Amino acid sequence: MVPGMAVPTAGFVPPFCPRSQCPSHAATAPWRYTKAGFYFPRTSTSGVQRYNCGCCGASFSRQSFRVSYYLKRPDLLIPVFHRLLGCSGFRQIAREFGVSHTTIMRVSERLGRHCLLWQWRHLRALRLREPVAIDGFESFAYSQYYPCHLHVAAGASSHFFYAFTDSELRRKGRMTAAQKRRRTKLEEQHGRADPKSIEKEIAELVRLLPSTESGPLTILSDEHPAYPRGLARTGRAVRHEVTPSTDPRTKVNPLFPVNLLDLLIRHCGGNHKRETIAFSKT
C-alpha cells in the first residue's frame, strides 16, 4: 500500500446524518448525501472518505460511525477490551502501554457504551423463552443525599442480564437536624425525587425486555409493593409470580439469578459495595 493512498470503504453507506440537530439524524427513509473527498489521519496510511449532508450541509466522515471516532490511540481499543475481560486494573493496563490511567478509563467507558449499544440492537431480534427475574438494590451517587435504586432483569434459566433502569430516591432514615436542613436545601436547588419513580422505572424495565415467542411474559420478583403497580403500567401481557424475600437465597430460589447478579454488581463495583463490607476489618 502506498502511504497516503485513498482507500474508500467498499459498500459503506452512511445510515444518517451524525449531527443531532439535523432532520436527517433520525430519518428512517433514504436521505441525500454527497461524497466530499478524503482526509488522511495520523494514525492510518489510508484515506478516510468524507461526505456532505444533503439536508443540513454539514460535513462528516466514515470515521464518525466508528467506535474509534476522535481517538488519538485507536490501537488501544482491542487490547484494552481483552485485558478488562481478564480483570486487569486500569493502572496495570496503563503501565503496560505507557499511558495515563485516565486514558484507560476513557477507553473503558467508550467500550462500555459500545457494548451496551451492541446488546440493545441485538436484543430486539430475540424472543424470550424463559421467565425473567427482576429485583433492585439501593446505592447512592455522589453522596448519601442522592440515593438511587438500581433495577435489574435476569433470565431465570440463562442468567442473562437483559436490562436495567434506575430510580432517584429521597434520602431517608435517621438524620440529624443539620442533615435534614441540608437535604431541604438540596431539594430546593435540584428538586425532590419522584415518589413514584420505582413504579415508573419497573414499567420501563419490563418494556425494554424482548417479546415472548407466545403467551404472556412471566416476571419473577419479591414482594416489593411498587412492582404490581409498575407491571400494570407496561401495556404488556404479564404473569407475575412472587417469591417472599424471607425464603433462603439458594440455587433453588426462583430469584437466584437476579440475587446473584446483585451480588456480582456489588462485588465488582467498588462504588456499590456496602459500607459494612468495604470498611470491614481484614
Side-chain angles (χ1 to χ4, degrees):
M1 180 183 296
V2 179
M5 179 179 178
V7 182
T9 305
F12 174 74
V13 177
F16 53 83
C17 178
R19 302 293 187 273
S20 58
Q21 299 83 3
C22 178
S24 297
H25 179 69
T28 55
W31 61 291
R32 295 180 296 107
Y33 64 90
T34 57
K35 293 183 178 180
F38 297 85
Y39 81 95
F40 301 91
R42 296 179 181 178
T43 57
S44 176
T45 57
S46 60
V48 178
Q49 179 73 60
R50 293 200 62 84
Y51 304 89
N52 286 330
C53 175
C55 182
C56 67
S59 62
F60 59 94
S61 71
R62 170 67 179 89
Q63 189 66 14
S64 302
F65 300 93
R66 290 193 172 110
V67 68
S68 59
Y69 174 70
Y70 215 74
L71 283 182
K72 295 181 180 178
R73 292 291 304 273
D75 57 298
L76 293 177
L77 283 169
I78 294 178
V80 168
F81 176 78
H82 288 295
R83 283 156 181 77
L84 290 174
L85 288 180
C87 299
S88 296
F90 288 153
R91 294 183 184 275
Q92 181 182 358
I93 301 172
R95 284 194 297 269
E96 179 180 354
F97 293 103
V99 298
S100 170
H101 70 280
T102 56
T103 298
I104 303 301
M105 289 174 63
R106 287 192 292 270
V107 172
S108 173
E109 291 171 356
R110 179 176 293 226
L111 288 169
R113 292 192 297 270
H114 188 69
C115 290
L116 285 172
L117 178 60
W118 188 93
Q119 175 173 323
W120 168 244
R121 288 186 172 180
H122 286 75
L123 277 178
R124 297 179 182 182
L126 289 181
R127 292 295 178 267
L128 282 172
R129 302 179 181 178
E130 61 179 347
V132 176
I134 64 173
D135 194 20
F137 66 91
E138 288 194 23
S139 184
F140 60 87
Y142 184 68
S143 78
Q144 293 187 0
Y145 289 99
Y146 300 96
C148 58
H149 202 98
L150 304 179
H151 316 283
V152 293
S157 302
S158 66
H159 293 202
F160 182 76
F161 187 2
Y162 283 103
F164 81 96
T165 58
D166 66 287
S167 297
E168 295 182 4
L169 302 178
R170 190 186 191 210
R171 181 173 180 175
K172 56 186 182 295
R174 182 179 299 176
M175 291 182 287
T176 65
Q179 289 173 332
K180 291 180 180 179
R181 289 194 298 270
R182 175 65 175 165
R183 182 184 67 173
T184 301
K185 183 178 179 180
L186 290 173
E187 289 179 347
E188 291 174 353
Q189 293 176 346
H190 306 293
R192 186 171 175 174
D194 185 352
K196 294 186 177 181
S197 180
I198 292 180
E199 179 180 325
K200 294 176 180 178
E201 293 302 328
I202 283 294
E204 181 62 22
L205 178 71
V206 175
R207 292 191 196 103
L208 291 174
L209 297 175
S211 302
T212 59
E213 284 195 333
S214 60
L217 170 64
T218 300
I219 295 293
L220 312 178
S221 78
D222 58 21
E223 299 167 305
H224 196 294
Y227 289 174
R229 298 194 300 269
L231 296 177
R233 287 175 172 261
T234 63
R236 299 181 61 171
V238 176
R239 182 170 63 246
H240 187 200
E241 298 181 6
V242 176
T243 300
S245 56
T246 55
D247 285 6
R249 299 191 176 189
T250 60
K251 291 185 178 180
V252 298
N253 190 311
L255 301 181
F256 175 77
V258 75
N259 290 333
L260 177 62
L261 178 58
D262 289 344
L263 183 150
L264 290 174
I265 293 174
R266 287 197 185 276
H267 174 74
C268 298
N271 53 332
H272 295 305
K273 289 184 183 296
R274 293 185 183 275
E275 291 182 353
T276 53
I277 297 176
F279 301 105
S280 62
K281 294 182 179 180
T282 58

